[in-house]
Amino acid sequence: MVYLCSLSFLFRGQAFLSTIDNFGSMEIKYDTEQINSLIKNRRSIYPNQFSKGKIIPDEIIWQIVENATRAPNHKQTEPWRFNVFSGEGLTYFAELQANIYKQYSGSSFNEGRYKKLLEYPLQSSHVISIGMQRNEKNILPEIEEIEAVACAVQNMFLTVTAYGLGAYWTTAGITYFKEAKPHFGLSENDKLLGFFYMGYVEKPFDGPSKRSPVETKVEWINKNSNETDPSSILFKL
């Protein structure tokens, strides 16, 4: 199963054209230049770049998580699970993750990281925990459920960018602590995959994040280069 992370939402106020062919199906055409620009300009914005005390309206947060649920997922298992922390919930979350870290980090405990776990949530408008709930029948490989959640997070990132907001997906702190999972409604077979911090951007970023030329990561095959040895044909995506 190959997952294709896609745009699962319409831009606010963006008109689109639709045509109906002879078979009655609808073809929707979006503004591709705007979509390409959106993807190119999506990037991580850290909480210390957020405008302190400026709160994202709840209706926008609901749209962000709604778009997350439109991600592709094999056999429609919908493995994503989210907890949204706002208001006093941010203080609760900050203290929760800091205390879990302090209790279970053992010899790797770092005072600086502990303080950051306490401070970062309070610099944000909202924080969303990202969980993967394993299908009870284990009908899919675990990696496919994780891939689906990653696509959901990409949808959140793109929606945040479209609204002119900032976001940061972190897997630091308590993400991989098994003791943390029950606090976010996850069982032993589930995965905690990190936390999504959001806010209005106070310190603008200086353009798209750096990427190497796409040609260095893609090999285009348009013919059978060795009919006697199919294993020699490599697909690089």
Side-chain angles (χ1 to χ4, degrees):
M1 176 65 179
V2 177
Y3 284 94
L4 299 177
C5 295
S6 61
L7 295 176
S8 299
F9 58 92
L10 299 179
F11 295 104
R12 294 172 297 157
Q14 176 63 45
F16 61 89
L17 302 175
S18 63
T19 58
I20 301 178
D21 61 24
N22 294 333
F23 298 99
S25 62
M26 179 174 286
E27 178 186 1
I28 301 177
K29 296 181 179 179
Y30 299 94
D31 186 329
T32 54
E33 288 189 9
Q34 191 173 17
I35 291 174
N36 293 338
S37 177
L38 173 66
I39 294 173
K40 185 177 181 180
N41 285 282
R42 183 225 60 82
R43 61 178 298 161
S44 295
I45 306 294
Y46 299 99
N48 60 9
Q49 296 174 272
F50 295 161
S51 297
K52 308 306 179 288
K54 192 172 182 181
I55 308 302
I56 302 171
D58 286 348
E59 56 267 27
I60 293 180
I61 300 298
W62 277 113
Q63 187 64 65
I64 290 169
V65 292
E66 164 66 23
N67 289 347
T69 69
R70 299 298 172 178
N73 58 112
H74 195 187
K75 295 188 180 295
Q76 299 295 299
T77 58
E78 301 185 48
W80 39 77
R81 294 295 183 273
F82 305 116
N83 293 280
V84 180
F85 298 93
S86 64
E88 290 300 316
L90 292 171
T91 301
Y92 165 76
F93 168 67
E95 294 175 352
L96 173 66
Q97 68 169 356
N99 289 336
I100 291 174
Y101 174 72
K102 187 173 185 179
Q103 183 175 357
Y104 297 106
S105 59
S107 60
S108 64
F109 177 81
N110 178 281
E111 185 68 27
R113 176 166 292 183
Y114 173 76
K115 289 183 178 180
K116 185 176 289 187
L117 292 174
L118 282 172
E119 295 170 357
Y120 256 32
L122 305 184
Q123 296 175 340
S124 307
S125 170
H126 292 71
V127 177
I128 300 178
S129 67
I130 303 165
M132 182 277 288
Q133 186 176 83
R134 194 79 168 93
N135 182 271
E136 292 181 359
K137 297 181 180 179
N138 289 336
I139 58 177
L140 297 174
E142 181 185 68
I143 186 61
E144 294 194 5
E145 306 270 50
I146 294 173
E147 289 165 345
V149 176
C151 285
V153 175
Q154 175 72 340
N155 276 6
M156 292 200 295
F157 255 129
L158 293 172
T159 309
V160 164
T161 304
Y163 276 108
L165 304 169
Y168 171 56
W169 179 10
T170 178
T171 56
I174 63 171
T175 296
Y176 302 122
F177 286 31
K178 64 179 182 180
E179 296 86 359
K181 291 194 289 187
H183 296 279
F184 301 96
L186 302 171
S187 65
E188 182 179 356
N189 293 328
D190 302 332
K191 296 287 186 184
L192 181 60
L193 298 177
F195 303 94
F196 197 72
Y197 291 75
M198 294 174 290
Y200 284 93
V201 182
E202 184 176 75
K203 302 176 182 179
F205 55 87
D206 55 357
S209 56
K210 295 181 180 179
R211 294 291 188 274
S212 56
V214 64
E215 293 83 4
T216 66
K217 302 295 190 296
V218 177
E219 182 172 340
W220 195 293
I221 296 91
N222 58 14
K223 63 180 179 180
N224 190 341
S225 60
N226 188 344
E227 295 182 355
T228 62
D229 184 12
S231 65
S232 68
I233 302 176
L234 302 178
F235 292 85
K236 299 178 182 178
L237 298 177

